[in-house]
């Protein structure tokens, strides 16, 4: 259900830009989405279709670029992606801490006609 409010924000932001620039049709919206946000692409697409109906955004393709979460090992300092739901470093086996990658959620670009 959190996808509804996020999708409303996406529709509102893009609609504001469309109005400012007198754009007739949005064809694609490129979104960067970190895996730790917990948002599902299919749910965002569903809500987008409903919320964009009757607007220049309707029918636009939502293109998602997924960003994997990254961790830094406390022991050896290696940066790695989580595997099999563990936070252990694949290089030395110590615990890692989350760094900023994987929390992203933003509109990267908008394609228009």
């Amino acid at each position: 259900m959190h996808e509804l409010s996020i999708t409303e924000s996406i529709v509102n932001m893009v609609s504001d830009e469309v109005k400012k620039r007198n754009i007739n049709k949005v064809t694609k919206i490129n979104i960067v989405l970190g895996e730790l946000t917990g948002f599902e692409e299919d749910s965002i697409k569903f809500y987008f279709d409903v919320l964009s109906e009757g607007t220049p955004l309707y029918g636009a393709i939502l293109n998602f670029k997924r960003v994997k979460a990254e961790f830094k090992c406390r022991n050896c300092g290696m940066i790695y992606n989580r595997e099999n739901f563990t936070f252990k470093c694949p290089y030395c086996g110590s615990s890692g801490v989350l760094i900023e990658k994987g929390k992203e959620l933003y509109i990267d670009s908008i394609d228009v006609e």
Side-chain angles (χ1 to χ4, degrees):
M1 195 63 158
H2 301 297
E3 284 87 348
L4 176 59
S5 61
I6 290 302
T7 309
E8 284 176 325
S9 295
I10 292 168
V11 168
N12 290 337
M13 284 188 274
V14 176
S15 293
D16 289 347
E17 286 302 311
V18 163
K19 288 175 190 169
K20 282 183 205 174
R21 301 171 193 271
N22 285 332
I23 295 169
N24 294 322
K25 180 73 179 151
V26 174
T27 57
K28 187 191 303 185
I29 302 170
N30 297 298
I31 300 169
V32 176
L33 183 63
E35 75 172 326
L36 295 177
T37 62
F39 296 123
E40 294 293 327
E41 294 174 23
D42 289 340
S43 294
I44 294 172
K45 288 177 181 179
F46 171 78
Y47 288 124
F48 181 81
D49 288 343
V50 172
L51 295 170
S52 66
E53 193 169 350
T55 73
L57 286 65
Y58 187 71
I61 295 167
L62 297 183
N63 181 49
F64 292 92
K65 177 185 174 193
R66 279 286 190 170
V67 178
K68 288 190 147 286
E70 287 187 351
F71 296 83
K72 183 173 183 176
C73 179
R74 293 180 183 183
N75 185 44
C76 71
M78 293 298 293
I79 295 176
Y80 61 93
N81 296 110
R82 178 177 62 163
E83 299 289 329
N84 299 325
F85 302 105
T86 182
F87 298 101
K88 292 194 183 280
C89 173
Y91 302 101
C92 73
S94 295
S95 296
V97 293
L98 179 66
I99 57 177
E100 291 303 309
K101 284 234 173 166
K103 299 178 186 177
E104 298 85 345
L105 175 59
Y106 61 89
I107 298 169
D108 188 45
S109 62
I110 302 166
D111 296 351
V112 299
E113 286 182 354

